[in-house]
Amino acid sequence: MRHIYLVLLLLITPIHAVSVEPPIRFGLTAVVLTENLRFLDQWSEYLEEKMGREVEFVLRKSYREVMDLLRSGGIQFAWICGYPYVQASNSNLIELLTVPIYRGKPNYQSYIIVHNSSPYKRLSDLENKIFAFSDPDSNSGFLYPMSLLADKNEKPESFFRHTFFTFNHAETIQAVSDQVADGGAVDSYIWEYLAIYRPEITEKTRIINKSPEFGFPPVVSRTGADADMVNLMKQILERMDEDPAGKIFLSRLKLDGFNRFPDSLFNNIRDMANSVQMTAIRKYATKPSR
Amino acid sequence: MTMLLHNPRSWSLAVKLSLTLTAAIAAVGFMIGAVMIVQEWKRFHDELGEKALLLAETIAITAPKAILRRDNWSLYLSLKNLAMGRPGTSGIHEITTAMVLDANGLVQAHLHPADNPMTYPFSPPNASEKVLLKQAMGARKPIVLSGSGFTKDNFQEGIVPLFSDQKYMGVVRVRLSTAQLYDKAIDSALIILAIVFLFVIVGSVLGILVSRRMVKPLTAITQGLEAVGRGTMTEFSPIPVKEQDEIGRLSITFNQIMAELAEKKILEEEIAMSEKLVALGRITAGVAHEVNNPLAGLLNCIDTLRKHPNDKQLIDRYLPVIDQGLHRIKDIVHSLLVGLRIEESDETISVEDIDKLHHLITAEIGNRNIAVSWHNNVIDNLQVPGRLEQIICNLLKNALEILPNRGHIGFHMYQNKAHLIVEVSDDGPGIPPEIRSELFDPFFTTKANGTGLGLWIVYRLVQSMEGIIQVISEEGEGTTFHVAIPVKSHKAA
């Protein structure tokens, strides 16, 4: 039976395939809101048209899964967080492709948020409380609050009563607004994005701490990917602000555009990662279920 | 109408029967309705319990792993999605609360996280909740817990204990409110009641129709019997018979009886008519005979006088005879007229007028050795029918005539409840038994010069007043006439 299918597949494929080349696979993480599938479809169509090749967005729950896909060659491009970037850039696995420009700068922050009705004013008020992290590989959602605790010589398991991961910045905001968690650490870009599109959620939260500015989660390519394809993708992304269709997508993403920035943009993340005891993080991070 | 309402015993059978039928139908209908409502409620309730259990089972699928991995967020999301629904779905609004507790009763996830923070022990707000928590924590297989009573605040709670490799991990509790169920049950109860009400109305109308149809022949029979009472059964038209049941057979039998009664009545009327003719014939024959007897003598006298017109001695002898004969004929005709012309009359006299008869009879006795004992025990101002005077007078004269030159006449009048009783007695020779039946016949007499109409007139008078006359007589001992007249409105005001 399987053989018949194979034969059929061989017969059909040349007739129906627009291109014999395999699709470009582009990994997306929680750095952008991936809930709007229609928007992603339209964006991938836009990229397909420009690239002349099929483009497929690949969604995974955690950063680590996306990083594993990059490592295994399952994807050629990915939009990842600064923390996995600094971790992977050392191993020569990926190359920095381009960095989104948000509110005129290639920067964002980490927000420590609490429920609007709560009395907490600073992170130390959250001692012995429940805290929501986004992803164990997230800069804004995990590394930054970890560094804050490390500065106080505290570990999350002893400082907080209980912590959990939502693997999604939007869900961390939800956890705080629903009072499942007393506090949480989120990406400023996602918080501000939700404040525009779903203000009823962010209105229930209050920012008690804003981090210094970090390099915005960058788009990376897999080391060793086809150089023409990588250059074309870089051009298309960086010129999105030059054509009307691209502008529409950028305005939906609340971004100004993409541009080339040096790797040094992520140095403060790199420093922070080094200062935090890596062993503690490794021990603490829960392996995702998938 | 109000009297009818106050006295249900006087209601028509058709009304009573249809009311009974209606009441029976209503009772049965409402009982069935009530049973249906209760069943419906129980069914809804059980279904809600099953639903609660199913929802708890859904959470329980992933809960043990989530507890092990401290993945409280996905536990919470699954509870929240169940209750609030994912984007685009409405969710299950009946869920009032849902929670996942670990083996130590610590909250792992709660639908209302603000009041029930995770990793803290779940604290029941009241005593009954405490009992429920104990039951939930004690459950080692899925169960449904429910609140008691038929109220809006009631609930059904699905309890599913969590196990991982036979190790107890905790429990999932999903509570569904019966509020929507309550509304649903009220709605269906209203529909059931409406159907039952309709059923009762239709049943009542049918009951009325059936009972009227059943009672119709009975009403006709009652009317027929009333006609028998009035004696107008000949006007009765037979009851139409449609059914062959008991009432049908009763109708048939009743129709037959009525037909026979009508026939009998006609026959009786015919007999009465012929009896009248016989009586008339007898009277006519009596008149002819009584008038004819003196006539023959009178004609003889006239014939003899015509032959000897100048015989003064003959004239002196025959004229008194003719006079006597003509007077007798006149008496007979007069008495006949009196007896035949008795008419209803409301003329009344006082009791004192009766007492005057005492003087009259005393005068009539003259020097005969006859004693009269007179007892009038009726109250003085009582008004009695005028015809009573004639009756008493005739009876007294009769007694006087029957007595030899010595004897005793008794008169006693008194009131016995609704009757005025008059007794006239004598101690004469008495009436021989063989002639007692003819005593009141016209022209029957034992006296030499009697017309035989005296007692007949008495009898006719008593009859005209719807009274009774009785004769008690013993040969050689005497005779007593008892007359009883009903006292109508003769009492003086």
Side-chain angles (χ1 to χ4, degrees):
Chain A
M1 205 54 184
R2 196 175 290 168
H3 294 288
I4 297 167
Y5 281 137
L6 272 174
V7 171
L8 277 173
L9 206 66
L10 285 170
L11 283 171
I12 290 162
T13 315
I15 304 162
H16 283 269
V18 177
S19 159
V20 266
E21 289 176 291
I24 298 166
R25 287 161 65 85
F26 197 129
L28 291 182
T29 61
V31 294
V32 282
L33 283 166
T34 49
E35 287 162 7
N36 196 339
L37 291 179
R38 218 156 56 89
F39 169 74
L40 291 182
D41 280 350
Q42 287 165 352
W43 195 20
S44 72
E45 275 169 30
Y46 170 85
L47 293 175
E48 263 168 29
E49 201 189 309
K50 299 270 176 187
M51 296 288 291
R53 264 178 79 176
E54 204 180 325
V55 176
E56 192 185 319
F57 284 124
V58 178
L59 307 175
R60 287 296 180 267
K61 183 180 177 180
S62 66
Y63 291 123
R64 189 153 307 164
E65 285 166 287
V66 173
M67 296 310 289
D68 286 345
L69 279 174
L70 276 172
R71 201 169 284 119
S72 65
I75 51 178
Q76 289 85 45
F77 299 96
W79 192 349
I80 59 172
C81 182
Y83 183 34
Y85 170 74
V86 297
Q87 286 174 295
S89 61
N90 300 333
S91 63
N92 216 17
L93 174 69
I94 51 172
E95 282 167 18
L96 182 64
L97 187 75
T98 185
V99 181
I101 301 165
Y102 173 58
R103 294 184 177 177
K105 290 188 283 183
N107 298 113
Y108 81 125
Q109 289 164 290
S110 169
Y111 288 169
I112 306 296
I113 56 170
V114 293
H115 194 263
N116 202 16
S117 67
S118 71
Y120 317 126
K121 289 193 172 69
R122 53 192 74 83
L123 186 67
S124 55
D125 292 339
L126 290 171
E127 187 171 356
N128 210 21
K129 297 284 180 284
I130 296 163
F131 197 83
F133 293 117
S134 293
D135 188 301
D137 291 312
S138 165
N139 172 52
S140 60
F142 187 67
L143 184 64
Y144 174 68
M146 286 291 280
S147 76
L148 287 180
L149 290 178
D151 291 346
K152 298 171 191 270
N153 280 325
E154 290 279 3
K155 291 176 187 171
E157 58 264 47
S158 53
F159 181 74
F160 297 116
R161 176 184 177 82
H162 185 72
T163 60
F164 60 85
F165 292 95
T166 66
F167 295 96
N168 188 322
H169 291 290
E171 286 184 23
T172 302
I173 300 167
Q174 185 100 51
V176 174
S177 78
D178 282 2
Q179 289 177 283
V180 179
D182 296 305
V186 291
D187 184 323
S188 67
Y189 164 69
I190 299 291
W191 193 93
E192 301 289 353
Y193 187 93
L194 278 186
I196 295 163
Y197 290 105
R198 292 175 69 186
E200 73 278 4
I201 298 172
T202 50
E203 272 166 11
K204 286 187 198 156
T205 64
R206 179 158 47 84
I207 301 159
I208 57 166
N209 183 304
K210 288 186 179 182
S211 73
E213 292 192 330
F214 299 114
F216 201 93
V219 178
V220 297
S221 62
R222 185 172 183 264
T223 309
D226 177 50
D228 292 343
M229 176 185 74
V230 171
N231 282 330
L232 187 60
M233 180 63 86
K234 189 177 162 78
Q235 269 182 28
I236 290 165
L237 290 175
E238 287 177 0
R239 287 182 185 169
M240 265 175 75
D241 59 343
E242 289 168 18
D243 75 287
K247 270 186 176 168
I248 291 168
F249 291 116
L250 284 173
S251 80
R252 281 294 306 276
L253 287 165
K254 296 288 159 200
L255 292 174
D256 302 325
F258 290 88
N259 215 338
R260 179 183 192 153
F261 287 95
D263 173 70
S264 59
L265 183 65
F266 304 97
N267 278 347
N268 57 350
I269 297 176
R270 203 169 269 128
D271 296 343
M272 202 163 62
N274 290 334
S275 72
V276 173
Q277 283 190 334
M278 299 302 283
T279 44
I281 300 163
R282 284 279 163 245
K283 188 181 153 198
Y284 191 74
T286 319
K287 207 182 170 81
S289 58
R290 283 199 295 162
Chain B
M1 192 66 203
T2 46
M3 214 184 79
L4 271 178
L5 283 175
H6 286 142
N7 189 8
R9 279 166 196 279
S10 66
W11 291 359
S12 140
L13 191 60
V15 172
K16 280 194 268 193
L17 204 61
S18 50
L19 278 177
T20 311
L21 273 173
T22 306
I25 289 168
V28 169
F30 281 105
M31 217 148 80
I32 291 171
V35 168
M36 276 172 76
I37 289 165
V38 169
Q39 287 291 324
E40 192 81 341
W41 169 252
K42 269 186 81 176
R43 191 171 64 80
F44 283 158
H45 211 245
D46 290 349
E47 275 177 7
L48 194 74
E50 280 168 28
K51 192 176 174 184
L53 201 60
L54 190 74
L55 292 173
E57 297 268 18
T58 313
I59 301 296
I61 294 168
T62 52
K65 273 188 182 172
I67 291 174
L68 279 174
R69 290 174 185 167
R70 304 172 63 138
D71 191 2
N72 305 79
W73 176 245
S74 63
L75 267 182
Y76 167 74
L77 274 188
S78 54
L79 293 183
K80 192 181 174 183
N81 289 342
L82 209 61
M84 314 292 175
R86 292 163 286 109
T89 63
S90 58
I92 296 154
H93 299 304
E94 294 122 303
I95 298 180
T96 52
T97 187
M99 66 187 85
V100 180
L101 305 179
D102 70 7
N104 299 317
L106 304 181
V107 176
Q108 293 303 305
H110 198 288
L111 191 59
H112 308 295
D115 305 323
N116 304 277
M118 60 175 64
T119 71
Y120 284 93
F122 174 67
S123 55
N126 53 46
S128 61
E129 286 292 330
K130 217 170 256 178
V131 173
L132 284 168
L133 175 67
K134 214 176 161 190
Q135 283 178 300
M137 293 303 295
R140 287 299 175 267
K141 58 182 182 184
I143 52 165
V144 176
L145 296 179
S146 25
S148 51
F150 182 79
T151 59
K152 262 189 145 141
D153 319 317
N154 216 328
F155 59 84
Q156 286 283 78
E157 186 173 307
I159 306 285
V160 177
L162 302 171
F163 291 96
S164 181
D165 197 21
Q166 295 187 340
K167 184 176 182 270
Y168 181 65
M169 298 287 295
V171 68
V172 178
R173 303 175 66 184
V174 176
R175 182 176 293 186
L176 300 186
S177 159
T178 54
Q180 279 172 304
L181 198 69
Y182 189 88
D183 295 341
K184 221 163 94 179
I186 296 260
D187 282 353
S188 69
L190 284 178
I191 289 169
I192 288 169
L193 282 180
I195 290 169
V196 166
F197 197 66
L198 212 73
F199 176 69
V200 167
I201 287 174
V202 170
S204 306
V205 169
L206 281 175
I208 287 166
L209 289 178
V210 166
S211 54
R212 280 184 104 178
R213 200 173 166 170
M214 279 172 75
V215 167
K216 214 174 172 184
L218 293 180
T219 311
I221 287 171
T222 311
Q223 285 167 355
L225 287 172
E226 281 166 4
V228 172
R230 287 194 306 269
T232 55
M233 58 276 228
T234 46
E235 292 161 17
F236 174 78
S237 51
I239 303 160
V241 178
K242 287 175 192 152
E243 312 279 333
Q244 289 303 310
D245 54 12
E246 286 84 345
I247 288 178
R249 292 209 299 276
L250 177 66
S251 302
I252 292 169
T253 314
F254 186 73
N255 282 345
Q256 284 171 356
I257 290 171
M258 285 305 281
E260 278 167 22
L261 278 176
E263 218 169 281
K264 206 177 154 199
K265 168 90 178 170
I266 292 167
L267 212 65
E268 273 175 359
E269 277 170 2
E270 280 172 11
I271 289 168
M273 182 58 89
S274 62
E275 272 177 352
K276 261 186 195 167
L277 288 173
V278 167
L280 192 67
R282 208 161 54 215
I283 289 168
T284 315
V287 170
H289 181 254
E290 292 296 319
V291 171
N292 205 36
N293 272 353
L295 272 181
L298 288 175
L299 286 171
N300 253 340
C301 288
I302 290 166
D303 200 35
T304 310
L305 285 176
R306 197 178 279 142
K307 280 175 185 166
H308 310 280
N310 299 316
D311 192 339
K312 178 90 168 48
Q313 205 180 352
L314 270 177
I315 290 167
D316 288 344
R317 207 170 81 203
Y318 282 162
L319 268 182
V321 175
I322 290 167
D323 186 59
Q324 196 186 354
L326 285 173
H327 269 99
R328 187 175 164 79
I329 290 169
K330 188 192 161 214
D331 280 355
I332 287 166
V333 171
H334 176 76
S335 292
L336 266 174
L337 286 174
V338 168
L340 291 172
R341 272 196 196 152
I342 292 166
E343 284 160 4
E344 275 286 331
S345 111
D346 287 333
E347 185 207 347
T348 59
I349 53 165
S350 71
V351 177
E352 285 155 20
D353 291 328
I354 303 285
D355 283 339
K356 282 177 188 164
L357 291 171
H358 188 191
H359 305 296
L360 194 76
I361 205 75
T362 312
E364 199 115 325
I365 288 166
N367 48 10
R368 288 165 75 188
N369 189 13
I370 291 169
V372 177
S373 55
W374 193 270
H375 298 286
N376 185 353
N377 294 342
V378 177
I379 47 167
D380 289 347
N381 58 354
L382 187 79
Q383 294 286 309
V384 296
R387 278 167 282 176
L388 195 63
E389 189 186 11
Q390 201 179 348
I391 290 169
I392 295 166
C393 183
N394 275 12
L395 288 175
L396 286 170
K397 277 185 174 175
N398 204 51
L400 201 61
E401 279 168 17
I402 216 86
L403 282 174
N405 278 336
R406 57 195 305 275
H408 177 262
I409 289 174
F411 172 82
H412 190 197
M413 185 161 80
Y414 59 95
Q415 195 176 351
N416 182 10
K417 287 174 188 170
H419 286 89
L420 192 65
I421 312 287
V422 173
E423 288 174 4
V424 177
S425 57
D426 64 68
D427 56 354
I431 303 160
E434 62 270 15
I435 62 160
R436 271 176 208 165
S437 60
E438 297 166 275
L439 209 58
F440 297 107
D441 284 357
F443 303 113
F444 176 82
T445 184
T446 52
K447 288 169 278 184
N449 293 324
T451 57
L453 292 171
L455 281 178
W456 176 67
I457 288 169
V458 167
Y459 180 74
R460 297 270 298 161
L461 286 168
V462 170
Q463 232 182 5
S464 75
M465 289 187 284
E466 293 167 9
I468 297 163
I469 184 158
Q470 260 185 321
V471 189
I472 298 165
S473 184
E474 193 101 351
E475 266 190 288
E477 295 286 317
T479 306
T480 305
F481 285 90
H482 282 264
V483 176
I485 307 289
V487 180
K488 288 178 183 172
S489 52
H490 301 300
K491 282 181 194 168

